[in-house]
Each structure stands twice: as structure tokens, then as C-alpha cells.
Amino acid sequence: MKRNWPVVALAGALALAGCSSDLPADTGTGGSSGPAKANAKSEFFDQTEFARQLRFRTAKATGLDGQDGTAGPWEQALEPELVDTAKYAKPGGGYHLCFSNASVDNPWRQVGFKTMQEEVKLHPEITKFTVLDAEAKDDKQISDIQSLASQGCSALVVSPNTTATLTPAVEAACATGVPVIVFDRGVKTSCPVTFIHPIGGFAFGADGAEFLKEKVAPGGKVLALRILPGVDVLEQRWAAADEVFSGSQVKVVGVEFTDGDAAKTKSIVNEYIQREGKIDGVWMDAGATAVAAVEAFQDAGVAIPPFVGEDQQDFLRIWADEGMTAVAPTYPTYQWRTPVIAALRVLGGRQVPREWVLPQPKVTQDTLKDFIKQDMPPLHYAMCGCEQMPGYPAPWK
């Protein structure tokens, strides 16, 4: 059965710079103007997809070649529907892999792209790797894809800058007969051979909200910190959290947009500490400014409440150093390895999932110590899947 694939956007530090902005702004759940408004279903809430993503969190991921126990999570898939790729087979190697990248304008994308480059080095059958950076501009990426179509690519990987605007360019690339692989964010067409992404925004948002529902006492006050309205995956994250909170006795006292700015984040948190007297939990739709939010509690001389952050090193370290109660949902940067692996499977005529859904783990108190890397930069992402790659850690520093 064909269907439009779900729209998926990045979730790393300062994700706002590159996420889809094709969707209308959210105006129904509070914002920088003040406390949360009465609960109402977000236009971004899809009950069927919400249930699907929550089910995927506990589904067993499988290796595509029966290597469930040895395949890394970037090689695994959740409930894959495999498609035949025999028509794309080009045995013998000598492959020219092309990549149209939305941008490398934030740490999440920088860590991911470095991981992709190192993955390419692992495969001598790739003799040429051509990358064009769209610099977060739709018109440039459209031009980039058109340019790559004339460069003799064996396969084309695309991480779209935005969803609807890039769809025609991807469809045109598919029409050339070159296998197209989309990852990270989706397009509104099923013409690519495979679409690769972790579980999604609903799972991320629910992971954090369920944690706070458990850790915050009934009647406790939760502050929700968001980056920007109208970004698909971020809206999904908040829609999922709002659904979880609405079925609890937790009181969401504010839903505020930080613009990913550390100083603004501190100011917002400080204002709520003064206004409410006590904040019992903090939920975030991305962890870029999590440390700034924690520091606001420290500056105010009050206890740090249960926190939702992300898997960047600065947050993991302060979590451990301060003995915080916290959780870190993730949008793993190891997904940047998978398109390279997928391209080689396709060119080898091997099956790939039509929708390649990767595992999306979270960092918990029990696993925190496994992900702290004191010798890595503060904004290095723990879920890079790169620790066993040749040369680690130098390329990521």
C-alpha cells in the first residue's frame, strides 16, 4: 500500500535552523506570551501515528540479514516492509555516491555529517563522494539536486531542507532512474527507494512527558520550553507531550518559546521561578539550551527539578555532576551512517525497507554513565554510533 511517508525533522541542538517551515505556526498552546492555554488537540496531533510511534518504542528491531544480535542500531529496522532493488543493481563497485545536504549549520548536523564521511571511508567500493551543501536554502538545494543529476551519480542521498518545497526536486531526481534515498526529513512522495529516519517526534515528546508524569507529584507544576512554532517534528513532540500531560494530574503552568537562545531560556525560567514560587519539572522539545535552563535554577538557589534534556555531552555531564533526576530522549545522529549502507545495498541489488525506521533509544539514569564522554566537545551527541569507527575520536573533535 502506498502512502505519503511521515514528515521527520532533526532534533539536535538548534534544530530550528534547518527544520521544515512549510507548516503553519502553532497558536493554540501558549508561547512567549505567557502560561499555557486550555488544552486542545493540536492540528499536528495524529492519533494513528501517535499510537504507531509509541508502539515502535518497544518493538523489536531486526537486522536486515538475520544479524539481529550483531548489527548496530543504524543497520536495524522496525517492522520493515522490504522492497526489491534488482533494477538498480550495478555489480563491481566503482560507485559515485552523491549527497544533497540541507545544511551543516548546527552541532547535530555537524556530528552527523562527520559520521557519514567516516562511514563512506569504510567502503572502498565507493570511489567518489560528491556533497553539495544547500546552506539551509530551498532554492539552492533544488539547484544542487539538478546539478547532481548531471554528474553521473550511482545513487543520490537527500536530506531535504523543507518538505513540500523539495518534493518536486526529489521526484525529478527519481525520474532520471538513479536510485534516490531520503533520510532525516521526509518529502511528500514515495518515489525514493527508501526513506530512513528514527521513530519520530511523537515518541520523543512522549518519552519526556511520561517521565515527568511519573516523577512529578500530582498537582506539580511543569514548565514546557520549546524552540519555535510551526516546525513539524517539534510540533509533534509538543502534541505528544500535551496528550500525555492532559491525561495526568500534572499542571503545565507555561509553554514558552526560547528561540534556542541560552540567555532567553535563563530569563524565562527565572521569571517562572519567581512567578510560581516553585517549578516541579521542565519538559523540552530539544535540548540545545537545557544546560542554560538548569543554570537558572542554580542561580536562583533552588533545587533542580526533574528535567527532560537531550543526548549532547554538556547536558549529560551536568546531569551526572549535579545528581539530577532526568531523562534524555534522542534523535540519534547514528542515522547518518544508514544512507550510505542503504545505497550500497541498493546498488548491490539487495532489498531495503521502503520506510526504514531506526530504533530511537533514550538516555536514562541507568544508562547515563555509558554515554558520558569527558574527552568529547560539549555539544557532541552521544548517539553518534561512531565510537568503534576507525580514527575515533579525532574526526569528531
Side-chain angles (χ1 to χ4, degrees):
M1 179 179 70
K2 283 192 175 183
R3 65 181 178 87
N4 285 342
W5 293 336
V7 176
V8 178
L10 67 94
L14 301 181
L16 61 109
C19 288
S20 169
S21 57
D22 292 320
L23 300 174
D26 171 23
T27 59
T29 55
S32 58
S33 59
K37 299 178 181 178
N39 182 66
K41 290 285 187 184
S42 165
E43 64 184 287
F44 296 93
F45 184 77
D46 180 318
Q47 180 64 51
T48 300
E49 181 61 18
F50 175 76
R52 174 179 182 255
Q53 291 189 20
L54 266 56
R55 177 173 55 81
F56 273 157
R57 295 184 303 173
T58 55
K60 179 177 173 54
T62 60
L64 299 187
D65 300 309
Q67 298 174 328
D68 298 356
T70 58
W74 51 90
E75 299 175 282
Q76 298 176 353
L78 292 162
E79 300 182 8
E81 175 193 342
L82 299 178
V83 295
D84 184 75
T85 65
K87 67 179 181 180
Y88 298 112
K90 296 178 63 176
Y95 300 134
H96 178 194
L97 181 61
C98 297
F99 177 36
S100 172
N101 192 8
S103 67
V104 285
D105 60 0
N106 62 68
W108 185 90
R109 300 193 71 83
Q110 291 159 10
V111 171
F113 182 51
K114 176 52 64 177
T115 301
M116 175 184 277
Q117 291 174 299
E118 296 302 310
E119 179 67 36
V120 168
K121 293 178 182 178
L122 297 178
H123 304 282
E125 59 270 43
I126 300 174
T127 55
K128 186 176 182 181
F129 184 40
T130 299
V131 181
L132 296 182
D133 177 8
E135 301 171 2
K137 300 173 183 175
D138 285 345
D139 55 350
K140 186 176 187 309
Q141 189 164 33
I142 291 169
S143 176
D144 287 348
I145 292 172
Q146 292 171 342
S147 174
L148 290 170
S150 65
Q151 295 189 34
C153 302
S154 303
L156 172 63
V157 174
V158 180
S159 177
N161 185 54
T162 62
T163 297
T165 305
L166 266 296
T167 295
V170 170
E171 290 178 324
C174 291
T176 67
V178 171
V180 177
I181 295 158
V182 171
F183 86 103
D184 172 26
R185 314 168 193 172
V187 286
K188 295 182 176 181
T189 176
S190 59
C191 79
V193 181
T194 182
F195 170 38
I196 299 161
H197 63 89
I199 296 173
F202 290 127
F204 186 111
D207 276 349
E210 289 170 351
F211 173 81
L212 292 179
K213 182 179 176 180
E214 175 188 343
K215 298 298 183 181
V216 176
K221 301 175 182 180
V222 168
L223 173 61
L225 298 177
R226 304 187 57 198
I227 290 182
L228 284 175
V231 177
D232 49 14
V233 74
L234 301 179
E235 293 290 357
Q236 289 179 356
R237 291 177 181 182
W238 171 242
D242 193 36
E243 179 74 2
V244 172
F245 289 140
S246 68
S248 76
Q249 294 180 292
V250 169
K251 181 182 180 182
V252 179
V253 294
V255 183
E256 300 286 350
F257 293 106
T258 68
D259 302 326
D261 180 83
K264 184 174 181 180
T265 298
K266 273 192 175 185
S267 177
I268 290 170
V269 174
N270 182 64
E271 177 185 343
Y272 272 84
I273 292 171
Q274 294 183 25
R275 177 192 301 173
E276 301 293 337
K278 183 182 181 185
I279 297 297
D280 301 294
V282 176
W283 180 92
M284 304 187 77
D285 65 4
T289 60
V291 170
V294 171
E295 290 173 346
F297 288 92
Q298 293 174 319
D299 292 347
V302 298
I304 303 168
F307 241 86
V308 177
E310 208 171 343
D311 63 319
Q312 71 272 21
Q313 288 296 318
D314 61 350
F315 178 71
L316 301 183
R317 291 169 191 168
I318 200 170
W319 173 359
D321 291 345
E322 298 297 325
M324 292 171 55
T325 298
V327 71
T330 73
Y331 193 67
T333 47
Y334 61 58
Q335 68 184 281
W336 289 71
R337 299 185 66 168
T338 313
V340 179
I341 294 167
L344 293 175
R345 290 185 68 91
V346 171
L347 293 171
R350 301 164 69 193
Q351 291 182 323
V352 294
R354 175 167 293 281
E355 182 187 5
W356 193 329
V357 183
L358 300 167
Q360 183 174 303
K362 60 187 176 186
V363 181
T364 67
Q365 188 66 51
D366 290 340
T367 62
L368 174 60
K369 64 180 184 301
D370 299 329
F371 293 103
I372 295 176
K373 309 294 181 184
Q374 296 288 358
D375 59 340
M376 297 304 287
L379 293 182
H380 178 73
Y381 281 78
M383 295 285 178
C384 66
C386 59
E387 289 85 356
Q388 303 304 316
M389 300 183 83
Y392 176 89
W396 289 267
K397 286 190 170 183

